[in-house]
Amino acid sequence: MHQQGILKTDDLITRFFRLCTEMCVEISYRAQAEQQHNPAANPTMIRAKCYHNLDAFVRLIALLVKHSGEAANTVTKINLLNKVLGIVVGVLLQDHDVRQSEFQQLPYHRIFIMLLLELNAPEHVLETINFQTLTAFCNTFHILRPTKAPGFVYAWLELISHRIFIARMLAHTPQQKGWPMYAQLLIDLFKYLAPFLRNVELAKPMQILYKGTLRVLLVLLHDFPEFLCDYHYGFCDVIPPNCIQLRNLILSAFPRNMRLPDPFTPNLKKDLDSYLKTRSPVTFLSDLRSNLQVSNEPGNRYNIQLINALVLYVGTQAIAHIHNKGSTPSMSTITHSAHMDIFQNLAVDLDTEGRYLFLNAIANQLRYPNSHTHYFSCTMLYLFAEANTEAIQEQITRVLLERLIVNRPHPWGLLITFIELIKNPAFKFWNHEFVHCAPEIEKLFQSVAQCCMGQKQAQQVMEGTGAS
C-alpha cells in the first residue's frame, strides 16, 4: 500500500478508509437482506459472512496503526487511529440519518469491538500507546452517545460495558486517568434514559436498555466501588428522582474520596459563604427559594443540580465547623447554626416538589459509614423532630421508605437512619397519623420495619411506642 502511494497524502488515506468502511457496511446490509428474503438461510452463517469481511478490514487497520511511523513514534500511530475512528463515525452517522429505522448496528459494532480487542492485545508496541488508544475510543463513544445516535444504543451499551474496556478504563493507575472519561460515558447513558424513566411505563426496548444499565452498574458496584463513590454526585445529578433502584445501586458503593462540585452562580456562592460565616445578609434565607426555582412548570420547577450542590456544600461546611470546635456531628452539635438555619428554612419554605428534591439531596448522602453519612443522618432526623407540620414528617418518611421498598442493595446510612427513626421513642414515629391512615400503609411500615430490624425487635418497637 505504501508502494502504491495509497497512504501518501491525508486526502488519499481518508478516501481509502471511507470507501473500505462503506464497502464493508454495504456487504453486511446485503447479507442481512438475503436472510430476510430467504427465511431458511442460516443466521449464524450470514453473520459469519459479515464478520469475515469486517474482521479483515479491522486487521488491516490494526496492522497499519502498529506499523505506521517509527516504532517509538506514538503520535503518528494515534493520529492514524483517530482518523480511522473519525471516518467510521462519519459513515455511521450518515447511514443512521439516511436509513433511520432500517439502520443496522451490526457492522459498526463489529468494527469497533474487534479494533478495541486488536489494539489492546499484549504487545509492546501497543502497550506504549495504550492510554491514548483508550482515550481515542472514549472520544468516539462520546460522539456516538445515544442522544446523538439512538439507533446505535444497544451496540453502544455493549461496547462501553465490554469487560476489557471497563477493566482498562478503570484500572488503578496512579491518577486514575480513565475514570473521568468513563464517568462521562455513563452520564451520556443516564441523560438518554432520563426522559423515558420519568414515565413509569417503559416500552419494551427501553426496558431492555434499562436492565442492561442495571447490570453494568452491578458489575461496577462489585468490581470498582471506588469509582462509583467518586462519581456518585455527578450520576445522581442526571438520574431522575423517581429512579430509586438505579440511585440505590450507586449510593450503596463504599470507600473513600468525595469530590465537591460547584454549580453555584458567583453571587449565590458569595451570599451563601457570607451567611454561613455571619448569618447575614438577613434576606439570604427568604431569597433562597427563588434562587433555586427556574420555572413555574410542575415537575420542572427547580434546578436539581443546584439543590444537590447546596445541600452537599452546606453539610460539608457544617462538618468542618463542628470539627473545628473539637466536636463530632450529633443531634446536639448540629443545632443552632447558620447551616441548620438554611436546612430548616428549606424544609419549611419550599413547596411539596421542592421539599421532595431537597430531602432527596440529603438522602443521597446517606451512604457508607463516614462523617458525611453521620452528619446528614442526624440532619434528617433533626428535621423530622423539629418539623412544624406533619406534612414535612410524612415527606421525610416517604423519601426514606421509597428507597427501602425496592430490591437490595440499600445504602448502609439509609438503613441506619430509618431504624433510628422508627426505633427511638423520642421521634414518636408510630403515633403519627400518616402511619395508620390505611391498613395497607400500616402493613407496609410494619413489613419494612421487620426487614430492617428483624421481626421480634420490630414488634417490640411498634408495641412499645403505641403502635397498633
Side-chain angles (χ1 to χ4, degrees):
M1 287 174 70
H2 278 292
Q3 286 169 0
Q4 295 300 319
I6 291 171
L7 307 173
K8 198 192 300 186
T9 68
D10 213 38
D11 285 350
L12 281 170
I13 292 172
T14 302
R15 186 159 177 260
F16 172 75
F17 282 114
R18 184 172 51 76
L19 288 170
C20 283
T21 306
E22 287 172 351
M23 281 167 59
C24 287
V25 168
E26 191 53 43
I27 290 168
S28 181
Y29 271 104
R30 280 209 302 270
Q32 286 170 297
E34 183 186 318
Q35 187 183 345
Q36 285 171 356
H37 294 141
N38 179 11
N42 185 332
T44 309
M45 295 292 290
I46 299 282
R47 192 169 280 240
K49 191 173 168 185
C50 298
Y51 287 170
H52 181 72
N53 295 292
L54 294 163
D55 292 356
F57 177 42
V58 167
R59 187 86 185 110
L60 175 64
I61 296 168
L63 283 168
L64 287 169
V65 169
K66 281 194 267 191
H67 301 295
S68 61
E70 299 299 319
N73 189 349
T74 60
V75 175
T76 309
K77 298 181 197 310
I78 292 302
N79 283 349
L80 181 60
L81 175 60
N82 277 319
K83 179 174 283 300
V84 173
L85 288 172
I87 290 164
V88 177
V89 165
V91 173
L92 187 158
L93 291 175
Q94 187 179 10
D95 187 16
H96 184 275
D97 288 348
V98 171
R99 295 193 198 248
Q100 296 188 354
S101 62
E102 301 298 311
F103 173 78
Q104 294 284 353
Q105 304 176 76
L106 182 144
Y108 305 103
H109 175 262
R110 186 69 176 182
I111 289 171
F112 287 130
I113 201 67
M114 294 310 292
L115 193 54
L116 181 71
L117 297 176
E118 284 273 0
L119 296 179
N120 277 282
E123 293 181 40
H124 176 69
V125 68
L126 295 174
E127 290 295 336
T128 58
I129 58 167
N130 182 251
F131 182 69
Q132 295 97 316
T133 300
L134 289 170
T135 303
F137 275 99
C138 267
N139 292 338
T140 300
F141 297 154
H142 178 56
I143 293 165
L144 292 173
R145 58 194 176 275
T147 48
K148 188 94 172 166
F152 189 60
V153 65
Y154 293 119
W156 185 89
L157 182 58
E158 270 196 37
L159 289 165
I160 72 158
S161 60
H162 192 281
R163 59 188 176 78
I164 287 180
F165 186 62
I166 290 183
R168 291 279 181 146
M169 289 306 301
L170 301 183
H172 288 272
T173 55
Q175 294 84 31
Q176 284 142 356
K177 293 187 290 187
W179 289 26
M181 291 190 290
Y182 196 76
Q184 179 59 60
L185 295 177
L186 286 182
I187 287 170
D188 290 338
L189 176 60
F190 297 147
K191 280 185 174 174
Y192 176 69
L193 281 168
F196 299 100
L197 293 175
R198 281 196 189 96
N199 305 320
V200 182
E201 293 295 319
L202 286 182
K204 192 71 191 281
M206 277 300 142
Q207 285 178 24
I208 294 166
L209 192 63
Y210 177 68
K211 280 182 184 168
T213 303
L214 288 180
R215 282 177 184 166
V216 175
L217 286 175
L218 281 167
V219 169
L220 295 174
L221 180 63
H222 185 270
D223 294 347
F224 302 99
E226 297 90 347
F227 168 72
L228 288 181
C229 267
D230 271 17
Y231 290 92
H232 80 281
Y233 184 91
F235 297 154
C236 286
D237 256 3
V238 292
I239 293 172
N242 62 324
C243 297
I244 311 296
Q245 190 175 11
L246 205 57
R247 197 182 296 102
N248 271 358
L249 265 178
I250 291 163
L251 297 177
S252 294
F254 54 93
R256 312 184 247 288
N257 306 329
M258 184 168 281
R259 302 178 184 196
L260 292 183
D262 185 14
F264 296 104
T265 57
N267 286 347
L268 180 58
K269 183 72 184 280
K270 190 160 61 80
D271 288 348
L272 175 58
D273 283 336
S274 167
Y275 187 83
L276 290 175
K277 283 192 183 108
T278 64
R279 288 192 171 177
S280 64
V282 286
T283 53
F284 177 77
L285 291 180
S286 54
D287 292 343
L288 195 50
R289 176 173 169 174
S290 57
N291 279 320
L292 298 174
Q293 200 163 340
V294 287
S295 82
N296 290 317
E297 184 193 339
N300 284 309
R301 281 200 181 99
Y302 291 92
N303 181 336
I304 297 175
Q305 286 80 3
L306 191 53
I307 291 175
N308 289 342
L310 177 75
V311 166
L312 183 52
Y313 184 78
V314 171
T316 307
Q317 297 297 311
I319 294 164
H321 177 68
I322 292 166
H323 285 164
N324 287 341
K325 294 201 295 188
S327 299
T328 54
S330 69
M331 291 294 280
S332 56
T333 58
I334 64 172
T335 59
H336 309 304
S337 66
H339 315 87
M340 193 49 72
D341 286 353
I342 290 172
F343 287 156
Q344 285 190 282
N345 177 74
L346 289 170
V348 172
D349 196 36
L350 289 170
D351 61 11
T352 308
E353 181 187 333
R355 192 185 304 119
Y356 178 70
L357 297 171
F358 161 63
L359 295 171
N360 263 304
I362 295 177
N364 286 349
Q365 298 307 319
L366 303 176
R367 304 190 294 141
Y368 58 96
N370 62 33
S371 59
H372 282 254
T373 295
H374 189 49
Y375 172 81
F376 283 105
S377 178
C378 291
T379 298
M380 191 74 101
L381 293 169
Y382 183 78
L383 291 175
F384 186 95
E386 296 295 313
N388 61 354
T389 67
E390 195 166 72
I392 296 173
Q393 294 171 320
E394 187 174 350
Q395 214 167 4
I396 289 171
T397 306
R398 175 201 164 173
V399 165
L400 295 172
L401 190 69
E402 69 183 3
R403 293 177 181 228
L404 290 168
I405 58 175
V406 297
N407 291 335
R408 290 188 176 99
H410 301 128
W412 177 87
L414 189 70
L415 285 165
I416 291 300
T417 306
F418 189 72
I419 289 169
E420 180 65 15
L421 181 63
I422 63 178
K423 187 177 167 185
N424 190 331
F427 299 113
K428 300 185 173 69
F429 180 81
W430 298 99
N431 295 345
H432 286 287
E433 197 179 314
F434 59 80
V435 177
H436 310 288
C437 62
E440 60 271 25
I441 295 290
E442 194 166 352
K443 276 194 183 129
L444 176 64
F445 278 116
Q446 288 169 0
S447 74
V448 173
Q450 284 166 9
C451 284
C452 290
M453 304 162 67
Q455 190 162 357
K456 190 176 175 187
Q457 194 182 4
Q459 199 60 40
Q460 288 170 350
V461 166
M462 289 184 282
E463 287 168 1
T465 51
S468 61

Coordinates of all heavy atoms in Angstrom, one line a residue, residues 12 40 70 131 182 204 257 308 316 329 335 367 426 431-432 452:
L12 N -5.8 11.0 0.4 CA -5.9 9.6 -0.1 C -6.2 8.6 1.1 O -7.0 7.7 0.9 CB -4.5 9.3 -0.7 CG -4.3 9.8 -2.1 CD1 -2.9 9.6 -2.6 CD2 -5.3 9.1 -3.1
A40 N -35.1 -19.4 5.3 CA -34.4 -20.7 5.5 C -32.9 -20.6 5.7 O -32.3 -21.5 6.2 CB -34.7 -21.7 4.4
E70 N 7.8 5.5 12.9 CA 8.9 4.8 13.6 C 8.3 4.1 14.7 O 7.2 4.4 15.3 CB 9.9 5.8 14.1 CG 10.6 6.6 13.0 CD 11.3 5.7 12.0 OE1 12.0 4.7 12.4 OE2 11.2 5.9 10.7
F131 N -2.9 4.2 26.7 CA -3.8 5.2 27.3 C -4.4 6.1 26.1 O -5.6 6.4 26.1 CB -3.1 6.0 28.3 CG -4.1 7.1 28.9 CD1 -5.1 6.7 29.8 CD2 -3.9 8.4 28.6 CE1 -6.0 7.6 30.3 CE2 -4.8 9.3 29.2 CZ -5.8 8.9 30.0
Y182 N -14.6 7.6 31.6 CA -15.7 6.6 31.7 C -16.9 7.1 32.4 O -18.1 6.8 32.0 CB -15.2 5.3 32.5 CG -16.0 4.1 32.2 CD1 -16.0 3.5 31.0 CD2 -17.0 3.7 33.2 CE1 -16.8 2.4 30.8 CE2 -17.8 2.6 32.9 CZ -17.7 2.0 31.7 OH -18.6 0.9 31.5
K204 N -41.0 -1.8 25.7 CA -40.1 -3.0 25.7 C -38.6 -2.7 25.4 O -37.7 -3.1 26.1 CB -40.7 -4.1 24.8 CG -40.0 -5.4 25.0 CD -40.4 -6.1 26.3 CE -39.6 -7.3 26.6 NZ -40.0 -8.5 25.9
N257 N -13.0 8.7 48.6 CA -12.9 10.1 48.3 C -14.3 10.7 48.0 O -15.1 10.1 47.4 CB -11.9 10.4 47.2 CG -10.6 9.8 47.5 OD1 -10.2 9.6 48.7 ND2 -9.9 9.4 46.5
N308 N -28.8 19.9 44.9 CA -27.9 18.9 45.3 C -26.6 19.5 45.8 O -26.0 19.1 46.8 CB -27.6 17.9 44.2 CG -28.7 17.0 43.9 OD1 -29.6 16.9 44.8 ND2 -28.8 16.4 42.8
T316 N -21.0 19.9 54.2 CA -19.5 19.8 54.3 C -19.0 21.0 55.2 O -18.1 20.7 56.0 CB -18.9 19.9 52.9 OG1 -19.5 18.9 52.0 CG2 -17.4 19.7 52.9
P329 N -20.3 15.4 64.7 CA -21.7 15.6 64.4 C -22.6 14.7 65.3 O -22.3 13.5 65.5 CB -21.8 15.2 62.9 CG -20.5 15.3 62.4 CD -19.5 15.0 63.5
T335 N -27.2 21.6 65.9 CA -28.3 22.6 66.0 C -27.7 24.0 66.2 O -26.5 24.2 66.3 CB -29.1 22.3 67.2 OG1 -28.3 22.3 68.4 CG2 -29.8 20.9 67.1
R367 N -24.8 7.2 52.9 CA -24.1 6.1 52.2 C -23.3 5.2 53.1 O -23.9 4.7 54.1 CB -23.2 6.7 51.1 CG -23.9 7.7 50.2 CD -23.1 8.1 49.0 NE -22.0 9.0 49.4 CZ -20.8 8.9 48.9 NH1 -20.5 8.1 48.0 NH2 -19.8 9.7 49.3
A426 N -38.2 9.0 71.1 CA -38.2 10.5 71.0 C -38.9 11.0 69.8 O -39.5 12.1 69.8 CB -36.7 11.0 71.0
N431 N -46.8 7.0 66.4 CA -48.0 7.8 66.9 C -48.6 8.7 65.7 O -49.6 9.2 65.9 CB -47.7 8.7 68.1 CG -47.3 7.9 69.3 OD1 -47.6 6.6 69.3 ND2 -46.7 8.5 70.3
H432 N -47.8 8.8 64.7 CA -48.2 9.8 63.6 C -49.4 9.2 62.8 O -49.5 8.0 62.5 CB -47.1 10.1 62.7 CG -46.1 11.0 63.3 ND1 -46.3 12.4 63.6 CD2 -44.8 10.8 63.8 CE1 -45.3 12.9 64.2 NE2 -44.4 12.0 64.3
C452 N -35.8 -4.4 58.2 CA -34.7 -3.6 58.7 C -34.2 -4.1 60.1 O -33.0 -4.1 60.3 CB -35.1 -2.1 58.9 SG -35.4 -1.3 57.3

